[in-house]
Amino acid sequence: KGLGIAGFCRTISSGLFVHDMSYFWSFRLEGPIEGLLRVLAGACTETAVPTKEDLERRTQSFELEGTFLKASEGEGTPEACRCALSPVLITWVRHPHPKAALPGAGGPTYSPLVWAHCHAYGKIRAELERAAARDGRVKVECPESAVKRVEVRGSKSLEAALKALGVPREVIARAGKGDAELLRLLDPRLRGAVAKGEKFSHPDRRAQGREAISRLLMAPGREEACARLDAFGRRPMGEDAVGRLNRRAGLLHDVPAALEDEEWGENATFPAVLVRKGEGRGPLGGFSLLFPKTWTHPLWMALAGAKARGAGLREWKWYAQICGRGIFPDSYPDAGIGGEESVE
């Protein structure tokens, strides 16, 4: 019946699965690069924090993984002797232009999203706020669960990103392991109406329709929206509005032009950050998708339509073991959390 670890291995080798990481909450840090690195380097293992030279050399956003450590009790305490509070993921969201809030910034700036397990969130928040207060220039914001994180893995995960979510093919082609792409995506429920409208439209109108969709997705402000996903206030349109667009497509009306109207265009797109995971299109490849929590239903249904299998904590633990990685809280005894307290 496809149950058990054998069935799960078949899923990742010939299909895909999706895992909801709602139990990982986020912090957002803002400030000059030197301050960000000082605050995070004092709290995380070096695998999650790049050097200043590396940040200045990079040309796009990226994500690193590591461990969040409890503050040292004395000067010179080795990293290996400090308590591990939680696994940590840091999405270094890059701004292409210096922020006005950072006078004197001569190069790109970053707003890192720091992801940690919700059981350790309070402790980590206290550690970050103390470190930021000592620095005096770094601001710590706590979106908590307002930014959603979904993990998609398996040999067909990139195919699902293309066909079910509408991620541009060139984005998939250029993104390497750990790279983060700042995107504006079309509501997956509208992809059928757009495809139907294009199929039945006059050939001379097809190119214009594609240009209209491109204008919608490349509108100004994409990077800023991706840097503050929790502040994105537009909700997905209701099912009745989606149905009206499908009827327009069936009646040979211009769907792309309709999406540029205020009635539909306001709620037709949303910001998202796609982070490549693993190597290539193999069974351990895939991606993480970060997006506003209010857009969970359309995205989850689109992945389900692509035959993604839902994976809970048990399957995610199996996946971590296959990849040779630890799992929280089993691999973090210093956090003081028993297995029975794990978030279901």
Side-chain angles (χ1 to χ4, degrees):
K1 295 182 179 180
L3 302 176
I5 193 168
F8 178 71
C9 289
R10 285 193 296 270
T11 296
I12 61 176
S13 63
S14 60
L16 71 153
F17 74 88
V18 55
H19 177 67
D20 180 1
M21 286 193 73
S22 294
Y23 53 90
F24 259 56
W25 292 0
S26 61
F27 302 91
R28 181 174 48 252
L29 275 62
E30 294 191 349
I33 287 180
E34 295 84 356
L36 295 173
L37 294 176
R38 186 177 298 109
V39 168
L40 291 173
C44 304
T45 53
E46 60 182 14
T47 55
V49 183
T51 63
K52 181 181 178 182
E53 292 72 21
D54 188 24
L55 281 180
E56 293 174 342
R57 184 173 60 250
R58 288 181 178 265
T59 58
Q60 70 173 81
S61 304
F62 62 99
E63 184 170 275
L64 297 176
E65 303 181 20
T67 302
F68 198 97
L69 304 173
K70 187 177 180 180
S72 57
E73 298 180 0
E75 291 293 331
T77 303
E79 184 177 283
C81 298
R82 294 166 61 187
C83 297
L85 295 179
S86 169
V88 67
L89 303 165
I90 303 182
T91 311
W92 292 86
V93 180
R94 181 181 186 272
H95 297 274
H97 306 293
K99 287 188 173 183
L102 301 177
T109 58
Y110 288 83
S111 292
L113 270 178
V114 181
W115 299 85
H117 199 284
C118 61
H119 267 307
Y121 194 84
K123 296 178 182 177
I124 291 175
R125 177 177 180 173
E127 299 277 355
L128 286 176
E129 288 179 343
R130 275 196 296 269
R134 285 195 298 269
D135 180 83
R137 298 174 296 168
V138 175
K139 179 182 177 183
V140 180
E141 299 180 5
C142 303
E144 297 187 354
S145 61
V147 181
K148 190 81 166 182
R149 185 180 185 102
V150 166
E151 304 291 335
V152 183
R153 301 287 192 277
S155 59
K156 293 188 176 179
S157 55
L158 298 184
E159 180 181 337
L162 289 168
K163 296 181 178 179
L165 302 181
V167 176
R169 190 173 297 275
E170 59 270 18
V171 169
I172 296 295
R174 71 169 178 254
K177 181 180 178 181
D179 288 344
E181 296 284 349
L182 311 185
L183 306 171
R184 178 177 277 124
L185 298 177
L186 185 69
D187 187 329
R189 298 172 299 167
L190 304 181
R191 290 178 55 76
V194 171
K196 188 191 300 182
E198 183 175 298
K199 179 179 179 181
F200 294 113
S201 65
H202 191 277
D204 294 339
R205 292 288 299 165
R206 290 177 186 170
Q208 297 178 25
R210 293 183 185 128
E211 290 176 3
I213 296 295
S214 179
R215 285 195 299 272
L216 201 65
L217 300 180
M218 299 302 294
R222 183 180 74 247
E223 292 86 359
E224 290 74 11
C226 288
R228 303 185 66 87
L229 292 170
D230 56 299
F232 186 74
R234 298 175 187 170
R235 293 178 174 270
M237 64 181 69
E239 293 296 336
D240 56 337
V242 175
R244 290 202 304 275
L245 275 174
N246 275 292
R247 287 193 292 274
R248 287 176 68 99
L251 295 172
L252 309 185
H253 292 171
D254 193 339
V255 174
L259 290 176
E260 289 191 301
D261 293 342
E262 185 174 346
E263 179 185 2
W264 283 295
E266 284 284 328
N267 300 327
T269 63
F270 64 97
V273 179
L274 183 141
V275 184
R276 279 290 299 271
K277 298 290 184 178
E279 299 289 351
R281 298 176 180 268
L284 300 183
F287 61 92
S288 305
L289 195 66
L290 321 180
F291 55 92
K293 184 171 64 174
T294 51
W295 286 78
T296 301
H297 179 71
L299 285 171
W300 193 269
M301 295 306 295
L303 290 169
K307 299 182 179 179
R309 173 182 170 181
L313 289 175
R314 181 183 64 170
E315 289 85 0
W316 189 246
K317 184 176 181 178
W318 290 342
Y319 179 76
Q321 291 172 339
I322 292 170
C323 296
R325 299 165 54 186
I327 192 75
F328 188 92
D330 304 41
S331 306
Y332 294 81
D334 294 332
I337 299 172
E340 70 279 359
E341 297 181 74
S342 181
V343 176
E344 295 294 340

